[in-house]
Amino acid sequence: MNQIYLDNAATTAMDPQVIEAMMNVMINTYGNPSSVHQMGAASRDIIEDARQSIARLLKAEPSEIFFTSGATEAINTILEGAVKSLGVNHIITSPLEHPAVIETIDKLKTQYGVQISMVNFDELGQIDLQHLKELTKIPQKNLVCLMHANNELGNLLSIKKASEICKQNGAFFFSDTVQSMGKFKLNFAVNNLDFAAGSAHKFHGPKGVGFMFIRGGLSILPHMNGGPQERNMRAGTENISGIAGLAKAFEIAYENLDDISEKILSLKQHLIQRIKTEIPEAIFHGDSEGLYSIINIGLPKATHNKMLIFNMDVEGFAVSGGSACSSGVMNISHVIKALGKSDDYIPVRVSFSKYNNLEEIDKFVDVLKKY
Ligand code: PLP
């Protein structure tokens, strides 16, 4: 496939070192981690080493990290667990969240009668922390559920400020950290997050494996039944090679984080600069100074650019409209709709990785200009 890949918020290419580490595990360490023999113990060691490594990088305790099939499962487990086990009856969130959060909360509202409050945000999608403060004062068992980096806009929430508000008012705090994991050095020892989620395929690891962080001392029911794995929190034989790949990818992400983030930021700034000068009628959805790896461009709607994302695909660029494509029909992004921009502008989300370069960005703008 000869496309220029600029859809790294959707998923990333695996780092060859991760593939090598996983191959090694798949070939040599295939015992069931629950088996008592030495081959089982060898597999168990791989899982525990991965847990130690992730916990060390996040400044968490190994006992606070639980492996899952990805962030969607982690999010379902955390939200449902908070309602069933911690007595949460009021969730404070926003319509800018990922569908894994929105749909799980909808289900909790229908099935358990959980009250939902939406926090205000401005025209860029920045969360109103004053309103958050007011909502957390409502005398209920409150859970704040707000993502760290928005997957469509790149907007960043101050976890420090939001978690301080939650702590002051006794609310639990879950932040979907999927897009920021491996992009910043998150420190779970100093912030007051109760729950977080990560997914390996967003930082050059394998698909179908992730983890949840559950603050020590909090105990929630598992989402699935049928086995004692992950200290009874996630039934089912572990994805050993996936877990090894997850840890390897996370370690690599931290190795050259400063250089890589600087390089990606310069690509983003170059793209913004060229758009501003060469497509002045374009806007940016969200905070263009948010996460360094995401920018969401809005092109004024016209008859010739109705199929923009498909056109760009044919022209050789993998980008996203920030919308899900189901049964061949492109749905308008719920995030862009919530910002009130969907009638006039077509969103084009460009998301970068360490594998992109300036030449690719230049080629992209040269083609985008035609639309
Ligand atoms: N949350 C956010 C912000 C995401 O971007 C994604 C992935 O698209 C998810 C959750 C779901 O992650 P996974 O693919 O691991 O289920």
Side-chain angles (χ1 to χ4, degrees), residues 9-11 68-75 97-101 147 149-152 176-180 197-202 207-210 349:
T11 195
T68 62
S69 67
T72 300
E73 185 193 326
I75 290 166
E97 294 291 309
H98 187 274
V101 165
M147 68 207 310
N150 186 285
N151 53 306
E152 294 198 28
D176 173 349
T177 45
V178 168
Q179 292 290 342
S180 54
S199 182
H201 72 106
K202 306 291 186 183
K207 294 168 185 45
V209 61
R349 181 189 66 183

